[in-house]
Amino acid sequence: MTYLEWLKQASSTLKESESPKRDAEILLGFVTNKSRTFLMAFSETELTQSQLDSLNTCLKRRQTGEPIAYITGVKEFWSLKFQVSPSTLIPRPDTEKLVEIALEYLPKVPCEVLDLGTGTGAITIAMATERQDCLFTAIEKNEQALILAQGNAKYNGVNNAYFLQGNWYKPIKGRKFSMIVSNPPYIDSTDIHLSQGDVRFEPRSALVADDEGLADIKVIVAGATKHLNQYGWLLIEHGWKQGEAVRTIFKQNGFQLVETHIDYSGNDRVTVGRWFKP
């Protein structure tokens, strides 16, 4: 069977997917270790039996709904490659909006940034590649995820970030930062989307929070008042319906210049606030 024949067959098999053709191309490139350009240019190339066996295994996994990123073990974010595993969330384009906004608000001079619940390390690593003059501290409570994040930093050549294991602010008692960023769990446990799509396979602990998805956000905002420098910024990613509630939490904790930014789909996604203590 040729590359082209397999792609046609696989695309038909994955017709329930949101992007069957692209899924098939990614799986074929993963198994053959060839670029998309190569696959198209040499579409008449015959697959070996070993490759066909591997492709069939991947195809069956994808048919069950397992995310492509977990099958290949890799996901692109901010034009960087990240290793992923079922112990972490899969980096999403919406979180690139958080990185984009954080870089806009980051002081132009060298400073320190804290990333809470770093997962794959995507936010820290993306920012660290853009601001090599700054020092980044990333905290993650899951040991497997922490090891993965450290590996991703090394793979992407980041040496201005280090990673600590712990729950939210516990590992950095007494330290203060010019900016705190976080993409915490913010989905309510009753949300029907938890039984749909990729999230079915992602760790619930990284997705779900009590208090209608706001519990961890409340902890982060309250703790930020003790760990931000004067005029420091806090940026939190949240659900598309949570903008108003998150702005209220920021203001109740004394933050100023509170504003919610929309993501690339036009939905509320990132709320920012500046810490000022008279």
Side-chain angles (χ1 to χ4, degrees):
M1 181 179 288
T2 66
Y3 289 172
L4 182 59
E5 289 169 339
W6 188 85
L7 282 172
K8 288 181 177 179
Q9 177 181 295
S11 296
S12 177
T13 302
L14 297 174
K15 60 184 178 182
E16 299 299 322
S17 168
E18 292 182 1
S19 52
K21 183 179 178 182
R22 185 64 186 133
D23 286 358
E25 289 174 346
I26 293 172
L27 294 177
L28 183 59
F30 169 63
V31 169
T32 61
N33 197 29
K34 300 295 184 183
S35 68
R36 188 181 187 186
T37 302
F38 184 96
L39 298 177
M40 298 302 105
F42 300 94
S43 59
E44 75 284 358
T45 303
E46 291 283 340
L47 288 159
T48 66
Q49 187 57 52
S50 176
Q51 289 173 332
L52 283 169
D53 291 342
S54 296
L55 284 167
N56 287 335
T57 298
C58 291
L59 204 57
K60 287 178 182 177
R61 291 173 65 182
R62 184 56 183 153
Q63 279 183 281
T64 67
E66 185 174 354
I68 287 284
Y70 285 164
I71 298 172
T72 63
V74 178
K75 179 68 175 179
E76 186 175 293
F77 180 88
W78 203 257
S79 298
L80 303 169
K81 284 189 176 181
F82 289 85
Q83 288 188 321
V84 298
S85 78
S87 65
T88 66
L89 290 182
I90 299 167
R92 288 174 168 78
D94 285 341
T95 303
E96 291 190 355
K97 189 65 179 182
L98 172 59
V99 173
E100 182 182 309
I101 297 167
L103 291 171
E104 290 177 6
Y105 281 83
L106 201 59
K108 303 305 179 185
V109 297
C111 62
E112 291 196 48
V113 179
L114 175 65
D115 175 17
L116 296 171
T118 196
T120 60
I123 296 171
T124 283
I125 293 167
M127 292 183 67
T129 60
E130 300 288 345
R131 288 295 303 271
Q132 297 182 28
D133 59 322
C134 295
L135 180 63
F136 295 81
T137 300
I139 295 176
E140 172 58 51
K141 66 179 180 181
N142 183 296
E143 184 179 6
Q144 289 180 307
L146 189 73
I147 293 171
L148 197 68
Q150 290 171 323
N152 283 327
K154 185 176 181 180
Y155 176 82
N156 285 291
V158 168
N159 54 21
N160 57 325
Y162 65 100
F163 301 82
L164 303 174
Q165 186 176 5
N167 193 35
W168 303 135
Y169 296 100
K170 287 186 178 179
I172 43 97
K173 286 185 179 179
R175 290 184 57 194
K176 292 194 174 185
F177 303 83
S178 295
M179 177 178 284
I180 297 174
V181 296
S182 182
N183 177 19
Y186 56 73
I187 300 177
D188 183 82
S189 60
T190 62
D191 194 312
I192 61 171
H193 295 96
L194 289 169
S195 61
Q196 301 172 0
D198 288 358
V199 296
R200 291 175 294 164
F201 294 82
E202 294 179 285
R204 284 295 177 99
S205 61
L207 292 166
V208 175
D210 293 333
D211 194 8
E212 298 182 333
L214 297 171
D216 289 318
I217 291 175
K218 288 180 177 179
V219 171
I220 292 168
V221 177
T225 63
K226 302 179 185 67
H227 293 282
L228 275 174
N229 294 324
Q230 185 80 305
Y231 304 115
W233 290 97
L234 172 64
L235 296 88
I236 295 180
E237 179 175 338
H238 52 74
W240 67 284
K241 292 183 177 180
Q242 294 175 322
E244 183 177 356
V246 175
R247 288 194 299 275
T248 298
I249 295 168
F250 270 62
K251 292 173 183 177
Q252 287 174 340
N253 282 273
F255 280 86
Q256 299 182 0
L257 303 179
V258 177
E259 182 181 3
T260 298
H261 294 259
I262 60 174
D263 59 24
Y264 302 117
S265 299
N267 298 313
D268 284 356
R269 187 61 59 188
V270 178
T271 292
V272 307
R274 197 173 200 184
W275 176 243
F276 172 73
K277 187 174 183 179

